[in-house]
Amino acid sequence: MRQLKEMPFAVANTVDSVPAPASVVPRLRVGKLCIAVQGATPAELLARAEAAFKDSAFIEFRLDFLAKPAAALPELKTFLARRRDITSIATCRRKSFGGKFTGSLNSELDILLKAAQTGFHIVDLEVESAEQCTRPQLAKFRAALRAAGTSLLISSHDFTRTRRPEGLNQTAQRIAAFEPAFVKVVTTARSLADNLAVLQMIEDQSLTAHVVGIAMGEEGLISRVLSPRAGAAFTFASSAEGAETAPGQVSARTLLDVYRLEQIDQATRIFGVAGNPIAHSLSPLMHSTAFRRENVNAVMLPLKVRSLDDLLTVVRDLPLDGVAITMPLKQEVLPHLANMDPLTARIGACNTLRTGADGKLYGFNTDVAGVVRPLERRMNLQGARILVLGAGGAARAAVFGLVEQGAEVYIVNRTHQKAVALARKAKAHVLRQSLLAKTRFDAIVNTTPCGMAGIKQQLPVKESELNASLIFDMVYTPLETPLLALAKARGLATIGGLEMFVQQGARQFEIWTGKPAPESEMLHVVELELRRRPQ
Ligand code: NAP
């Protein structure tokens, strides 16, 4: 069993339990997930704590967000006495160390001590504050905590960067010198690779201490989700979207439902969806739903990518089992592939990476299936006349894929020369916009962003040019785009962009897992999510 300092309770799922001396504190439980709650008033703080309790019984109360933290303690005492099943941390971080408390070191110590006497199980003191204390002051503080049966967590926060693991280990050692119950090292991720440094530090330190390690910021999501697997005592989440206490924090529900925190173990396969921006990608939700439905021990995380090198480092060293690639990385990744299917090579764009058992990267393009499958379910593509509006990345997948299925494909694009170049490569035809009204098609596929929420652009076709029985719009925000509304009003059949999104994701799922994708569940969950989001 590990030798633990001042560890009067059991940390569930992470380390062996340490029976508490019965006279000092009752045995407490610390789960993998601590929900950090804040509020401008005690009422708001307690309402959030009450709401958080249904997701985790381990809650951090950020007292420094209150105008008068000390004045709130009687109310908190009543709350904690009523909710004896909550394990609580009190934090009153001073402004100079990234918190909101404007008082002095003495005031902070006084509030934390009163919090301990109020019934808090753990108090969080910044390492800088610990170092500013005189020896007698710190000794007195710690004796009072012991008398109250409260444990000490000492934390360090770097709001600018993440150092290499050696630097992080030094910080952890600086904290460990005080022999606290918990060592907490928080940094700021500027790259995906920064997560690797934090996870390494956790692996190193968790041999001798209860350690918590997190890289803040959107790029640091990997550390928030995977730190318990690396050996961290727990990780943090917010009580709800919009109630974060630190940059990059995600809500407890997202961490539990989408990132599957409670299911992750050493065997969990990690996938990513890479891009920038990526925070609002529907892929993690869709794939998590599929993984859960098909009993696959896997998770997908959004990866904010600033450079391909950074992504490839994490793919190799985390490692990642596969990645869904979004623009603009689809072309850039090609030289790094050990192999790719022939269509991906011809299109010159890869949207799906799979890491082989040999560690090499294999590339696929499932955007093609995203376009072809919905159409072939509704028509015979052999000899079908299909108009593609646009000649960008999405159009490439559509044109190459449809030509391969034997369709006669026509391209119209705002920049005519780009249509000419694409048509030449894919053996398709080019049309001038002026000829559209006189030409009949079996289907029209819009691959331009026109009609997308937030883009005020005229549609690339007029109503009089909708000379087809089926209109397919790749845009899916909003679900019913202006083009689809126009087509429906004319009694034409339609295909929405969400069907394409799900079809390309379903093929990714199959490539990664070898199992048939649960398409209807995948569609259902992303449609529900889109309807929930403000348009
Ligand atoms: P892209 O590479 O930037 O290409 C955009 C194309 O649209 C270009 O051909 C561009 O013409 C044309 N275009 C842009 N604005 C226009 C306007 N106002 N009028 C006429 N034509 C215009 O983008 P992409 O990656 O192909 O993506 C295009 C759309 O498809 C996006 O809305 C994306 O969300 C959607 N998409 C959906 C899925 C799905 O799963 N449903 C998958 C991929 C993409 P120029 O050549 O003249 O610039």
Side-chain angles (χ1 to χ4, degrees):
M1 195 164 68
R2 297 171 188 176
Q3 289 302 306
L4 302 170
K5 306 285 185 189
E6 271 192 31
M7 187 60 208
F9 46 80
V11 176
N13 301 326
T14 51
V15 294
D16 300 328
S17 65
V18 179
S23 57
V24 181
V25 280
R27 276 172 64 99
L28 300 174
R29 288 180 61 78
V30 177
K32 271 186 195 173
L33 174 61
C34 180
I35 302 182
V37 295
Q38 48 97 347
T41 62
E44 189 177 27
L45 181 69
L46 292 177
R48 285 188 172 148
E50 190 67 54
F53 179 66
K54 64 182 180 324
D55 293 325
S56 173
F58 185 20
I59 299 178
E60 179 193 31
F61 292 73
R62 287 295 299 265
L63 305 181
D64 50 318
F65 280 66
L66 296 166
K68 291 184 179 155
L73 290 174
E75 270 182 77
L76 286 166
K77 185 173 185 171
T78 310
F79 177 84
L80 293 177
R82 190 164 51 80
R83 280 256 172 247
R84 297 185 72 83
D85 33 8
I86 286 180
T87 301
S88 52
I89 304 180
T91 301
C92 193
R93 188 158 299 127
R94 281 188 288 157
K95 215 166 178 163
S96 35
F97 308 122
K100 293 195 183 298
F101 185 57
T102 50
S104 64
L105 169 63
N106 281 343
S107 312
E108 181 188 2
L109 293 176
D110 190 44
I111 288 168
L112 291 180
L113 209 48
K114 284 190 175 129
Q117 286 152 358
T118 289
F120 279 92
H121 305 107
I122 303 166
V123 295
D124 176 337
L125 185 69
E126 314 81 60
V127 66
E128 294 86 350
S129 294
E131 287 169 348
Q132 280 172 10
C133 288
T134 61
R135 269 173 178 265
Q137 192 178 22
L138 192 59
K140 197 172 152 204
F141 177 69
R142 300 191 67 156
L145 288 186
R146 259 195 304 278
T150 301
S151 295
L152 179 61
L153 177 156
I154 297 190
S155 59
S156 155
H157 294 78
D158 185 335
F159 288 89
T160 59
R161 62 179 176 150
T162 299
R163 293 190 296 159
R164 296 300 92 211
E166 310 78 63
L168 298 182
N169 277 330
Q170 280 169 10
T171 303
Q173 288 306 316
R174 193 176 139 206
I175 295 173
F178 291 97
E179 304 192 344
F182 294 95
V183 171
K184 179 179 169 192
V185 178
V186 178
T187 68
T188 297
R190 296 277 175 234
S191 68
L192 294 172
D194 283 344
N195 291 283
L196 300 173
V198 171
L199 296 177
Q200 182 63 57
M201 180 277 297
I202 292 169
E203 280 186 19
D204 296 344
Q205 297 299 321
S206 63
L207 296 171
T208 52
H210 284 308
V211 63
V212 176
I214 279 175
M216 295 185 288
E218 204 182 326
E219 287 95 333
L221 179 74
I222 292 173
S223 69
R224 290 191 180 276
V225 180
L226 297 183
S227 59
R229 180 168 89 159
F234 54 87
T235 185
F236 284 93
S238 69
S239 54
E241 274 170 44
E244 294 79 15
T245 62
Q249 213 172 52
V250 292
S251 74
R253 282 270 46 102
T254 304
L255 209 51
L256 293 168
D257 293 347
V258 183
Y259 305 141
R260 312 187 75 195
L261 184 75
E262 293 293 354
Q263 282 79 46
I264 291 176
D265 58 22
Q266 299 302 332
T268 303
R269 300 174 70 200
I270 313 295
F271 294 91
V273 53
N276 188 6
I278 202 66
H280 297 293
S281 168
L282 291 168
S283 291
L285 174 67
M286 178 172 71
H287 283 286
S288 288
T289 303
F291 292 145
R292 188 176 292 115
R293 176 77 170 74
E294 293 304 311
N295 233 342
V296 177
N297 184 3
V299 66
M300 176 184 266
L301 306 177
L303 306 173
K304 185 171 172 187
V305 175
R306 291 184 197 268
S307 81
L308 183 63
D309 272 356
D310 186 30
L311 174 65
L312 294 175
T313 301
V314 173
V315 170
R316 188 190 59 225
D317 292 346
L318 191 57
L320 289 167
D321 278 73
V323 185
I325 304 276
T326 67
M327 296 301 284
L329 301 167
K330 289 182 183 182
Q331 281 101 37
E332 224 184 300
V333 77
L334 293 178
H336 303 273
L337 302 178
N339 209 345
M340 64 187 110
D341 62 81
L343 190 58
T344 303
R346 281 218 302 288
I347 296 170
C350 160
N351 79 324
T352 307
L353 289 186
R354 196 190 68 198
T355 310
D358 52 5
K360 290 183 177 161
L361 296 180
Y362 297 88
F364 304 84
N365 189 314
T366 68
D367 286 335
V368 172
V371 184
V372 168
R373 293 254 176 134
L375 282 168
E376 70 185 2
R377 279 178 178 171
R378 290 156 170 102
M379 63 174 64
N380 179 3
L381 286 174
Q382 184 67 44
R385 289 166 57 83
I386 300 185
L387 171 67
V388 173
L389 304 169
R396 282 180 82 79
V399 172
F400 275 96
L402 292 169
V403 168
E404 168 139 315
Q405 295 300 314
E408 212 173 299
V409 179
Y410 296 81
I411 309 169
V412 167
N413 190 43
R414 180 176 63 180
T415 310
H416 186 68
Q417 251 343 89
K418 277 168 78 177
V420 172
L422 175 56
R424 195 172 292 144
K425 278 209 179 106
K427 298 192 169 49
H429 310 278
V430 194
L431 261 190
R432 291 264 178 205
Q433 186 100 24
S434 53
L435 295 174
L436 276 190
K438 298 181 206 142
T439 319
R440 176 98 203 140
F441 303 97
D442 294 302
I444 297 177
V445 183
N446 174 42
T447 77
T448 76
C450 304
M452 205 164 146
I455 296 188
K456 296 254 172 291
Q457 299 275 19
Q458 253 192 333
L459 291 180
V461 273
K462 299 192 200 73
E463 190 175 354
S464 59
E465 293 166 345
L466 289 180
N467 290 326
S469 41
L470 176 67
I471 307 297
F472 182 168
D473 194 349
M474 283 196 187
V475 175
Y476 57 82
T477 49
L479 280 167
E480 172 140 313
T481 63
L483 180 61
L484 293 183
L486 201 62
K488 278 184 188 161
R490 283 174 63 105
L492 306 178
T494 58
I495 301 175
L498 204 59
E499 191 174 332
M500 170 180 178
F501 176 73
V502 170
Q503 283 300 318
Q504 63 79 32
R507 304 292 81 74
Q508 290 178 323
F509 179 89
E510 288 164 2
I511 288 166
W512 290 332
T513 68
K515 293 185 174 204
E519 292 175 6
S520 49
E521 280 85 358
M522 292 166 86
L523 179 62
H524 178 71
V525 74
V526 288
E527 194 171 335
L528 218 63
E529 174 62 16
L530 276 184
R531 291 196 192 284
R532 191 190 68 85
R533 287 183 184 178
Q535 293 284 314

